[in-house]
Amino acid sequence: QVQLVESGGGLVQAGGSLRLSCAASGRTFSNYAMGWFRQAPGKEREFVAALSRTGGVTYYADSVKGRFTISRDSAKNSLYLQMNSLKPEDTAVYYCTAGRLARTMGTIPPEYWGQGTQVTVSS
């Protein structure tokens, strides 16, 4: 069982930065691959990034490569998404997720989801 709580969303201007955080439950945090998804109004849910269980391998959607960085701090049971050079099309609710494999997170829905945090980027 994993419980996930996102924070750090907000309103920023295009070109700005935000850092999202995800607090995960307990000492089993290191047993899961972690990721971020997002969903904009009227659009399909979209994979953003994933991180392997050990933290050694990352995966990114083409739309965010070079701008976003996923990381984890296992000692703090926390996951992060550093978002730079934000664009209006990045506006969405962002969800923290936990699953079995980072390399398949974009095609196989993760098992655990947080409630989401709103990110709004103004033009």
Side-chain angles (χ1 to χ4, degrees):
Q1 296 183 356
V2 176
Q3 292 178 315
L4 306 169
V5 180
E6 303 94 335
S7 62
L11 174 64
V12 297
Q13 292 182 312
S17 298
L18 279 177
R19 188 197 191 204
L20 304 183
S21 298
C22 173
S25 63
R27 292 176 290 274
T28 62
F29 179 77
S30 62
N31 292 338
Y32 298 91
M34 305 295 294
W36 292 93
F37 283 72
R38 67 187 182 186
Q39 187 167 22
K43 296 184 179 180
E44 295 277 305
R45 184 175 59 197
E46 178 186 23
F47 168 75
V48 176
L51 185 66
S52 65
R53 180 181 61 82
T54 61
V57 184
T58 58
Y59 303 86
Y60 296 96
D62 288 341
S63 60
V64 306
K65 284 181 179 177
R67 300 189 298 120
F68 291 10
T69 302
I70 187 171
S71 62
R72 70 194 298 164
D73 186 338
S74 295
K76 296 181 178 180
N77 289 340
S78 296
L79 179 75
Y80 306 99
L81 185 68
Q82 179 66 46
M83 305 185 295
N84 299 325
S85 301
L86 283 162
K87 305 174 181 179
E89 51 262 45
D90 294 319
T91 295
V93 176
Y94 283 71
Y95 298 91
C96 176
T97 67
R100 299 178 68 177
L101 294 173
R103 65 177 175 85
T104 61
M105 194 165 285
T107 55
I108 301 174
E111 185 174 3
Y112 301 102
W113 295 74
Q115 293 297 307
T117 186
Q118 177 71 47
V119 172
T120 302
V121 184
S122 62
S123 59

